[in-house]
Amino acid sequence: MLIMNCVKCGHEIMEGAAFCPYCGEKVAGGTPGESGPIYQASVKGKLKSGKLSVYRDRTEFATSSVQKTIYNYSALVAVRKKLGVGTVLGLGLDHIEFITEDGGSESCPVSRKDVHEAFLRIQEAIQPYLAQRKRRLMEQGVRYSLVSSTGLTGSGVLNISDDRAELRVKSGQNKAVDFQDVKSVSAAAGSLEFLLVDGSTKSFGVDKELLGEVLAFVKQAVEPYVSARKEALLAQGIYFSSFSSYGAEAGTLNIFADRAEFTARSGRTEAVLFSGVRAARLFTETLELALTNGTAKSFGVERDMQSAVLSFVEEAIRPYVLRRTEGFHDSFGIDERLEVNEERGVFHVLRQGGNEITEECPLDSIVRCERVERGAPKSALGLLAGAAKAVGVQDKLRAPDADDVISCVGVDLTIQEVQGPWTETVRFGDFALGISRTNKKYDQYLAEADRFMDYLSRRCPACELVVPPPPEPKAEPEEAPGVPVTLPAAAGREPPAAPVAERDEFGLVKYIEGVSRFIDSCSTPMTIAIQGSLGTGRSGFMRLLSEHLGERISLFWLHSGQLSRARSDESFALQVENQLRSQLGVASEAAKGRMRQAAKGLGSILISAATGGNSDGQDLMEAMFGSGEEKTHEALSGVFSQLVHTRPDGRRGKVVVFLDELDRLAPAKAVDMLEALRSFFDCEGCVLAAAIDFALFQRGVRERPGAEPDEEKEKALFDEIFQMSFRVPASGYDVGNYVRGKLEQMGIPADGGEELDFYTALIRRSVGVDPKSMDRLFNSFLLLKNMADKELFEDRVQRLMLFALLCMQTRYQTAYDHLKRIRDQVTPALLSGLCGRDSEVAAHSGLGGVELEKFLGFAQVFHDIINTDHTADISQAECAVFARVLEFSSITSK
């Protein structure tokens, strides 16, 4: 082939070319035969007709002798056949698309009968140009040049070199990725996807035929930069570096040998030392670190390194975890536990059901131990009195003397260190609302304190032991002659309440009666799921249901919270035994023996399910019965069934078992417990009702080892365990009626209208309609009422502001804390924009997505309360009132 040179730019030009592929200059000379068409075809369409001519250097489409469109090959990247395009446009034509180096494309119409041959002729003609372009790009360091796109727009030409990828589009808005900025590269959905060091991503479309080859090249090109970055990070002691998020902030998470350190883009740093981490896990693409102080920190981690990061962190915290947990065989206390490692001579204290672990201290550093009983605060006594008044029994029950009600039983330890002595309080029994010394639980907590002091007397004889004298008994008041005396309620039972129908403050009685009738008439064994996500009032519904069932049915309550407080299956079995004895009326020694067997066995099953043990192994069965006799779940269920059918009072009605608070357990443990309980209570006369939502159940099944998501199988297992399912109708709760009743009890006039609507809206947009949450909210409101100036609660706006702040404390703690921190800088402008998405409070709320939307809805109601004159902006006077109420509300904040 003859090679010529362009007279304008000097580049080599192939024989027969009419235009230079570099500068576009028309080539001089050339014979007519050399520049004649190599293929021609007529084009006939409904809206466009003409003549197609294919040359060696160009393609022409002429609609007349003077009107033609020329498609030069000099700057071509690719040519494509596009079938059906003309038909869609109503032209009856197909197209051939020419794609140029600048990212542009042009279409030439072709009749259907000619499109394939025309395409082959054009492909043949452009090959020398494409080959020459490839040589030119290789000289420039470009290894791949292909048609690409970003998203739905931005089609162009992607050039990939040894050190970068650049997409050139006709608009000139080119997009480039330097490989030195790339953390990783992957292929997804027909695209080449780059994850950059700043946390952003860039994707470029690549034909599937080339995607694998291009990906392999880019990975090889990126590897030196990735390796160099890893070496630089290791030189700083950083083993992993991931784009991350902490709350609402974005930044970088660096994993060191001894800590995880998050640096926000603002420069703020948050570090978590591995010495203070109890456990690590991955949850919804975040690394969750549970700390020894009972809190948790969660950081986002890039998907491709999550498993490696988790393995590294688990290995890093292992020495600390083992040191905190191994060898602590002696344990004292119930609500809070003091554990001793005799071999090393140290102790620590577990709080929050084991979630918080204190630092270790030498046993020999305890120089004084005093048993303590602290009186209940006046606010707690006031709440107890208010509760008695609420149910109308304040005159019927003899309230315990204030000096006889205590808030805790435990020990005060004086610990001597080099810096000086300090005191650690361990609450073996902790009672937020107080407990009377006449309560049988009081003796259990007292015994734990005495047991620990006996241990210290043997282990640390030099330690001073202090036991306060017992309180002097109060003289019993003389009874008025002729007046009948109502005895206190039996230990462990609540005072009698009004019938459910008379206390139907939520409008649920029709649902309760329906489920109650079903339990009365259903065949047994029966398992019922009481569904409803957390905050919909499942527990409250079950309590009302149990009251409505009344005395005609034996009721038995199990709470997963009991498991977290039980130190062993023995202590839990004791709780189960007491309930069984009460509900089944066990009297004879033989029946008591069977009852103890069933209680101990049930306790073992539940503890085993909650802790991940093997609930049906030989050793466990021997521990249940103490006889070494091998037993199965079926045999254990038979023992319980015999108890149900041999009650001494002759009752043969159903026994209903309520299982509550499963959401306190890990989801997989909750499912294990459900299966174990279903096996145990699978006997005639027994109904098991469990408060659990299918979403929690589904998550528990998927968290089991080796499980794969399979919704059909998950539904089948749910239906296998539960024969009937009932969803608590949270949306139908009559919250207004409940709020009206609570306000009346507090002496606050709210006979309907706007104020009642405000209370109801605040509740629905914060804590939700869960009865427990609403009760806690109004308990705090009552406490503040008893402490506030009369003027505050008499003012409608101020008491609404206070209630709104309590809702914010409970549901949106981070946003409330920010307001409290800046209470001296709160301005009308800040309050005017309270419900705005870009407001300062929203920015510091730590919320995003759906949760942020919920907060903004709550903030809108709050704004309407503050804006009493309903003008466009909050006034300075309204701002001053808000600041005063905010200051007062902090009394109940955490």
Side-chain angles (χ1 to χ4, degrees):
M1 180 179 291
L2 180 64
I3 302 298
M4 301 180 295
N5 292 93
C6 176
V7 297
K8 182 177 181 181
C9 65
H11 281 91
E12 292 181 347
I13 306 172
M14 291 177 295
E15 178 187 9
F19 298 93
C20 174
Y22 298 98
C23 65
E25 179 73 10
K26 184 174 179 64
V27 177
T31 66
E34 292 176 335
S35 59
I38 59 177
Y39 174 77
Q40 288 185 311
S42 297
V43 178
K44 294 182 179 181
K46 294 181 180 179
L47 299 180
K48 182 175 285 190
S49 297
K51 190 172 186 177
L52 173 71
S53 299
V54 178
Y55 295 85
R56 296 189 184 202
D57 62 343
R58 68 192 185 280
T59 294
E60 293 183 356
F61 176 71
T63 57
S64 68
S65 59
V66 295
Q67 292 183 342
K68 66 174 66 174
T69 304
I70 300 176
Y71 307 93
N72 288 323
Y73 302 157
S74 57
L76 276 186
V77 174
V79 61
R80 290 178 174 177
K81 181 170 52 179
K82 309 214 40 157
L83 303 179
V85 176
T87 304
V88 173
L89 298 174
L91 302 178
L93 297 173
D94 296 320
H95 281 66
I96 292 176
E97 185 177 38
F98 297 87
I99 301 165
T100 55
E101 285 186 329
D102 62 359
S105 64
E106 295 179 299
S107 293
C108 176
V110 187
S111 298
R112 171 62 58 90
K113 65 182 179 67
D114 301 316
V115 66
H116 301 293
E117 185 176 359
F119 177 70
L120 291 174
R121 293 301 186 101
I122 293 173
Q123 267 197 323
E124 179 185 354
I126 68 172
Q127 288 307 312
Y129 290 89
L130 296 182
Q132 192 173 32
R133 178 175 179 271
K134 184 176 181 179
R135 289 196 299 271
R136 174 166 49 87
L137 291 175
M138 291 291 288
E139 292 172 0
Q140 299 172 8
V142 178
R143 305 303 179 188
Y144 289 91
S145 182
L146 45 106
V147 179
S148 179
S149 63
T150 55
L152 298 176
T153 60
S155 295
V157 177
L158 178 64
N159 290 331
I160 299 178
S161 307
D162 292 329
D163 60 351
R164 70 196 315 257
E166 181 180 16
L167 179 71
R168 301 179 62 184
V169 294
K170 191 176 179 80
S171 65
Q173 300 294 320
N174 300 338
K175 297 182 180 180
V177 172
D178 291 324
F179 291 165
Q180 65 180 0
D181 299 328
V182 176
K183 291 193 68 175
S184 64
V185 60
S186 60
S191 294
L192 192 66
E193 186 172 283
F194 295 92
L195 175 62
L196 307 184
V197 293
D198 64 359
S200 63
T201 60
K202 289 189 178 180
S203 299
F204 304 101
V206 177
D207 287 341
K208 62 181 180 180
E209 294 83 2
L210 284 174
L211 186 56
E213 180 183 344
V214 172
L215 176 63
F217 172 81
V218 174
K219 279 188 172 181
Q220 185 176 0
V222 166
E223 180 57 33
Y225 300 104
V226 174
S227 299
R229 191 180 305 110
K230 286 182 178 178
E231 290 179 6
L233 291 171
L234 281 173
Q236 303 173 53
I238 300 172
Y239 289 84
F240 295 93
S241 182
S242 168
F243 173 72
S244 180
S245 60
Y246 178 66
E249 291 188 284
T252 302
L253 177 67
N254 290 327
I255 305 293
F256 295 82
D258 62 345
R259 68 189 186 278
E261 188 173 277
F262 173 79
T263 302
R265 289 175 178 172
S266 62
R268 189 183 70 82
T269 300
E270 179 82 20
V272 177
L273 298 177
F274 292 154
S275 60
V277 177
R278 287 190 305 106
R281 68 165 183 161
L282 287 175
F283 180 67
T284 61
E285 297 189 0
T286 62
L287 177 68
E288 184 176 275
L289 303 177
L291 309 185
T292 57
N293 64 5
T295 63
K297 303 281 188 181
S298 296
F299 304 96
V301 179
E302 292 167 17
R303 185 170 57 248
D304 61 341
M305 66 171 65
Q306 287 175 359
S307 297
V309 168
L310 178 63
S311 298
F312 180 87
V313 173
E314 286 179 331
E315 194 62 32
I317 68 174
R318 190 185 306 280
Y320 304 108
V321 173
L322 292 178
R323 182 175 177 83
R324 283 194 298 268
T325 56
E326 284 191 340
F328 288 84
H329 301 304
D330 296 312
S331 179
F332 306 89
I334 299 176
D335 290 352
E336 294 183 354
R337 299 202 308 277
L338 188 150
E339 294 187 336
V340 177
N341 184 316
E342 274 283 2
E343 182 180 348
R344 294 196 287 118
V346 296
F347 75 93
H348 61 216
V349 179
L350 302 186
R351 297 190 170 97
Q352 299 183 32
N355 287 333
E356 178 183 346
I357 308 176
T358 66
E359 295 292 331
E360 292 179 0
C361 288
L363 270 170
D364 295 336
S365 66
I366 303 176
V367 296
R368 188 174 189 271
C369 176
E370 179 179 2
R371 195 182 75 196
V372 293
E373 299 175 14
R374 291 191 168 85
K378 291 183 179 180
S379 58
L381 294 173
L383 290 174
L384 287 173
K389 182 179 179 181
V391 297
V393 297
Q394 73 277 18
D395 296 327
K396 298 179 182 179
L397 294 178
R398 179 181 299 165
D401 190 276
D403 295 334
D404 191 45
V405 177
I406 58 175
S407 63
C408 82
V409 175
V411 293
D412 279 349
L413 305 178
T414 302
I415 299 170
Q416 182 66 49
E417 292 186 339
V418 177
Q419 299 87 345
W422 58 280
T423 301
E424 175 82 54
T425 299
V426 186
R427 296 169 174 258
F428 289 163
D430 196 5
F431 328 104
L433 295 180
I435 187 175
S436 171
R437 289 189 177 91
T438 61
N439 192 304
K440 64 180 181 181
K441 292 183 179 180
Y442 168 75
D443 293 332
Q444 298 176 14
Y445 298 122
L446 202 64
E448 281 295 297
D450 291 340
R451 190 167 70 88
F452 176 66
M453 297 187 77
D454 289 342
Y455 171 82
L456 282 181
S457 67
R458 299 189 305 272
R459 176 62 175 75
C460 306
C463 176
E464 178 187 1
L465 304 178
V466 181
V467 179
E472 296 183 4
K474 299 286 184 179
E476 292 292 334
E478 296 184 2
E479 299 176 8
V483 177
V485 178
T486 302
L487 296 176
R493 290 182 175 271
E494 297 180 355
V500 172
E502 297 179 18
R503 299 182 293 110
D504 185 25
E505 53 197 5
F506 293 114
L508 295 177
V509 69
K510 60 182 179 181
Y511 304 106
I512 293 168
E513 289 177 346
V515 178
S516 178
R517 285 194 297 270
F518 174 81
I519 291 175
D520 282 335
S521 60
C522 71
S523 59
T524 57
M526 172 62 63
T527 50
I528 305 172
I530 306 295
Q531 289 204 69
S533 57
L534 190 63
T536 56
R538 293 174 309 194
S539 298
F541 181 88
M542 289 175 67
R543 286 197 303 272
L544 293 174
L545 177 61
S546 67
E547 291 178 26
H548 190 268
L549 290 170
E551 297 296 329
R552 68 184 185 277
I553 285 180
S554 297
L555 305 175
F556 182 34
W557 279 87
L558 289 173
H559 300 269
S560 63
Q562 292 170 296
L563 295 174
S564 62
R565 294 190 292 271
R567 291 177 295 113
S568 67
D569 56 348
E570 292 286 347
S571 61
F572 184 75
L574 179 61
Q575 301 175 42
V576 175
E577 180 182 341
N578 291 334
Q579 289 200 54
L580 285 173
R581 181 182 298 169
S582 171
Q583 293 299 328
L584 301 181
V586 174
S588 68
E589 289 302 319
K592 287 181 181 178
R594 290 195 299 273
M595 177 267 297
R596 289 192 185 94
Q597 287 183 344
K600 191 172 182 182
L602 178 58
S604 295
I605 287 176
L606 294 177
I607 292 290
S608 179
T611 57
N614 183 1
S615 61
D616 55 359
Q618 172 71 29
D619 294 340
L620 180 59
M621 294 301 107
E622 291 178 0
M624 282 194 282
F625 293 97
S627 62
E629 180 184 359
E630 184 176 351
K631 297 289 181 180
T632 64
H633 280 182
E634 289 75 14
L636 182 58
S637 180
V639 173
F640 181 75
S641 179
Q642 191 175 6
L643 284 171
V644 172
H645 288 283
T646 57
R647 282 175 278 181
D649 55 7
R651 287 187 296 168
R652 297 187 61 82
K654 294 182 175 76
V655 172
V656 181
V657 180
F658 289 103
L659 178 60
D660 198 10
E661 299 178 351
L662 280 170
D663 43 50
R664 291 192 180 186
L665 298 175
K669 304 301 182 188
V671 174
D672 290 342
M673 179 181 292
L674 275 173
E675 291 188 303
L677 283 176
R678 177 221 180 185
S679 173
F680 182 86
F681 292 114
D682 188 23
C683 59
E684 186 179 350
C686 196
V687 177
L688 173 64
I692 186 170
D693 192 61
F694 177 71
L696 175 68
F697 180 89
Q698 186 179 47
R699 181 177 158 196
V701 174
R702 293 183 178 183
E703 288 184 2
R704 286 176 160 178
E708 295 290 339
D710 189 330
E711 189 166 351
E712 290 300 321
K713 289 184 178 179
E714 292 152 4
K715 289 180 178 178
L717 180 59
F718 187 82
D719 293 339
E720 180 183 340
I721 294 177
F722 295 106
Q723 297 153 277
M724 198 274 278
S725 178
F726 172 78
R727 179 167 292 277
V728 177
S731 60
Y733 274 35
D734 189 351
V735 179
N737 187 48
Y738 166 84
V739 172
R740 185 184 294 105
K742 287 292 185 182
L743 294 176
E744 288 175 354
Q745 292 172 21
M746 295 173 61
I748 298 175
D751 53 357
E754 186 181 40
E755 182 174 2
L756 187 61
D757 290 342
F758 272 131
Y759 283 111
T760 303
L762 289 169
I763 288 173
R764 286 192 177 277
R765 300 190 186 195
S766 58
V767 301
V769 296
D770 176 38
K772 283 186 178 179
S773 299
M774 290 190 288
D775 285 345
R776 284 194 293 269
L777 189 63
F778 275 100
N779 286 340
S780 299
F781 200 37
L782 175 61
L783 174 62
L784 291 179
K785 179 179 183 293
N786 292 332
M787 304 173 71
D789 296 334
K790 185 178 180 181
E791 175 187 352
L792 190 152
F793 261 83
E794 286 184 348
D795 184 87
R796 167 184 171 276
V797 173
Q798 291 189 54
R799 63 175 176 257
L800 275 171
M801 282 186 191
L802 182 60
F803 190 78
L805 287 166
L806 287 176
C807 292
M808 187 182 282
Q809 277 182 19
T810 307
R811 181 64 178 81
Y812 306 109
Q813 178 75 40
T814 305
Y816 174 83
D817 288 343
H818 178 68
L819 277 175
K820 191 170 64 173
R821 282 194 300 270
I822 64 168
R823 57 183 176 273
D824 295 331
Q825 290 87 41
V826 173
T827 62
L830 184 146
L831 295 179
S832 295
L834 185 63
C835 50
R837 186 178 301 276
D838 300 326
S839 70
E840 179 180 346
V841 179
H844 288 81
S845 67
L847 302 173
V850 176
E851 287 300 304
L852 178 60
E853 295 301 324
K854 291 180 180 178
F855 172 74
L856 295 178
F858 168 82
Q860 180 63 64
V861 179
F862 201 170
H863 173 274
D864 294 343
I865 292 171
I866 301 170
N867 188 15
T868 55
D869 57 8
H870 304 295
T871 57
D873 297 314
I874 304 294
S875 67
Q876 186 61 52
E878 291 166 339
C879 181
V881 172
F882 172 83
R884 185 165 60 251
V885 178
L886 174 63
E887 180 71 29
F888 179 69
S889 71
S890 62
I891 295 174
T892 57
S893 64
K894 294 180 176 66

